[in-house]
């Protein structure tokens, strides 16, 4: 499990690439978040940690989705009146694949 408290205070999405600079939106204007080949401009510790951990977060999402899929299979085998709504709710959790 990933400790998400270390990301508290990060700049929120959407982030956009503009050349070698990542921009974060603010009233339709992009504020520089950091430069890839230059000095950091506004990159705070939570932002750095979030960017660094992005691959770990993606793997965690994949792991959780796989767990939900396995749970769906188990629930589909149940003989209870609650089976259909449970399966529906679980499938909705992973609908963005």
């Amino acid at each position: 499990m990933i400790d998400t408290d270390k990301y508290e205070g990060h700049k929120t999405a959407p982030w956009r690439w503009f050349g070698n600079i990542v921009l974060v939106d603010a009233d339709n204007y992009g504020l520089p978040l950091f430069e890839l080949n230059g000095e950091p401009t506004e990159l705070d510790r939570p932002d750095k940690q979030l960017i660094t951990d992005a691959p770990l977060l993606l793997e965690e999402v994949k792991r959780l989705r796989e767990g939900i899929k396995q749970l769906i299979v188990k629930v589909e085998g149940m003989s209870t009146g609650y089976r259909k709504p449970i399966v529906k709710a679980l499938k909705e959790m992973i609908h963005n694949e």
Side-chain angles (χ1 to χ4, degrees):
M1 188 155 131
I2 295 175
D3 175 18
T4 57
D5 290 344
K6 61 186 172 184
Y7 310 126
E8 284 295 319
H10 75 84
K11 292 176 180 54
T12 58
W15 294 4
R16 282 187 245 182
W17 287 102
F18 183 75
N20 288 337
I21 300 172
V22 173
L23 301 177
V24 60
D25 277 353
D27 300 329
N28 297 324
Y29 294 98
L31 301 176
L33 186 59
F34 72 95
E35 294 183 26
L36 288 181
N37 298 318
E39 292 295 314
T41 57
E42 294 204 19
L43 191 60
D44 296 326
R45 180 166 169 62
D47 300 312
K48 289 179 188 176
Q49 194 63 55
L50 184 58
I51 291 166
T52 301
D53 289 351
L56 298 174
L57 294 166
L58 178 59
E59 286 305 312
E60 181 70 2
V61 168
K62 289 178 180 179
R63 185 186 72 76
L64 293 170
R65 283 187 173 166
E66 187 57 37
I68 292 169
K69 287 178 185 177
Q70 291 173 12
L71 188 57
I72 289 170
V73 170
K74 289 179 182 178
V75 170
E76 285 177 332
M78 293 170 55
S79 59
T80 174
Y82 298 110
R83 181 179 57 81
K84 286 182 181 179
I86 293 171
V87 169
K88 181 179 182 235
L90 290 170
K91 286 183 176 179
E92 288 173 0
M93 290 176 157
I94 59 173
H95 79 282
N96 288 331
E97 290 187 46

